[in-house]
Every structure is written in structure tokens, then in C-alpha cells.
Amino acid sequence: MIMSNTEQTLSIIKPDAVERNLDSEIKEMFLSTGFKILKEKKIQIEKSEAEVFYKVHETKPFYSDLCAYLSSGPIVVMVLEKENAVSANRELMGATNPKDASDGTIRKKYGISIDKNSVHGSDSIENANIEINFFFKD
Ligand code: CMP
């Protein structure tokens, strides 16, 4: 029996990458790895919205800076689809800190620092659903 496990996940191309006009190159990395981009929009959010988006991190010391950063410039938000999309996206992004990211990953190639790490991706199927609904309510 052929088992299919198609999932959707949320990806954000963060301000540091959009500012450097890397969004097309990063999208190409998703497409060439077999992801479909089902939805996509370029937006800038308020800090108050970033605080809701990153609420899971509200007790962390970096929370305020993180929310200020995500709202500091335009971002590209996308719904990606693939087999095991959540883990496949995390693999393609690489480690949170670009210094620790493996060759061939987005963060290794484009990330500047742990804050300016170019992309965000959902960390679980449950959070993917929450994050997709946050940006694409309809
Ligand atoms: P992201 O995948 O968007 O999820 C939360 C973000 O917090 C993470 O990427 C990093 O950019 C940022 N961050 C800043 N400092 C830290 C830290 N010490 N540990 C983990 N994430 C951090």
C-alpha cells in the first residue's frame, strides 16, 4: 500500500532576506526541493501582531527584540505543501543559528545571525495549522 503524508506548513522569509532581495532565490530553493507554494503574500506586520505570532516565546529573554525585528520590514509569508512538509522545511532551513546550520540549507547560505536567520518555519503540524490561520484566515 502506498502511504501519502502530504502536509502544509507556514514559511516566513524574514526582513533581513527580503531587504537583500533574496525572496526569489529562497522560493526557488523551496520549489527545487519539491515544495508547492500554495499561498503567498508580502506584508509588513505591527509589533503587536508579531507578539501574538511568537506568543510561545513570550517568556524568553529575546521575545521583545524578536517581535520588534519581525515587524521591522516587509516579510513574505507562504503556505508550503509537500510530503512531511513540517520536517522537510525544517531540514531545508537548517539550524536556528546560521553558525550551526549544515551546508545546503537556507540559513547556512543566507542567515546572518540567530535573529537575522532569514526564514521561519512551523515546528509542528499543530503549530503549522495555527500559523497558517494566523496569516491566511479565509
Ligand atoms: P524562528 O524559527 O523564527 O523562531 C523564533 C526565533 O527566535 C528564532 O527563529 C530566532 O530567530 C530567534 N531567536 C533569537 N534568540 C534566540 C535563541 N537564543 N534561541 C532560539 N531562537 C532565538
Side-chain angles (χ1 to χ4, degrees):
M1 188 165 46
I2 298 169
M3 300 285 281
S4 159
N5 191 31
T6 304
E7 293 173 1
Q8 294 178 4
T9 190
L10 185 93
S11 170
I12 303 178
I13 304 178
K14 293 186 179 184
D16 67 273
V18 176
E19 185 179 81
R20 287 176 286 152
N21 290 313
L22 295 171
D23 35 322
S24 302
E25 284 174 53
I26 291 174
K27 276 191 271 177
E28 191 45 46
M29 286 180 80
F30 287 121
L31 294 171
S32 64
T33 313
F35 286 93
K36 285 184 191 155
I37 301 174
L38 298 186
K39 293 182 185 174
E40 164 185 358
K41 62 183 176 185
K42 191 177 196 174
I43 52 171
Q44 183 162 359
I45 60 172
E46 300 289 340
K47 188 178 182 204
S48 57
E49 295 174 287
E51 285 166 355
V52 176
F53 179 75
Y54 274 136
K55 197 162 173 43
V56 290
H57 295 299
E58 72 181 332
T59 59
K60 312 268 174 62
F62 54 84
Y63 178 62
S64 179
D65 286 349
L66 174 64
C67 297
Y69 171 61
L70 193 71
S71 56
S72 67
I75 56 176
V76 176
V77 290
M78 294 170 289
V79 177
L80 303 180
E81 187 177 86
K82 191 183 192 288
E83 292 279 297
N84 304 309
V86 171
S87 60
N89 182 34
R90 294 181 70 73
E91 202 172 306
L92 179 59
M93 288 193 299
T96 305
N97 192 335
K99 277 197 302 196
D100 303 326
S102 304
D103 285 347
T105 64
I106 296 172
R107 286 167 170 164
K108 171 77 174 187
K109 203 165 176 195
Y110 301 118
I112 296 169
S113 65
I114 195 163
D115 301 300
K116 297 184 174 182
N117 62 356
S118 300
V119 280
H120 165 84
S122 310
D123 65 2
S124 64
I125 295 174
E126 188 190 0
N127 283 335
N129 289 330
I130 293 169
E131 293 181 357
I132 289 168
N133 283 327
F134 181 85
F135 283 110
F136 299 96
K137 286 187 186 69
D138 36 34

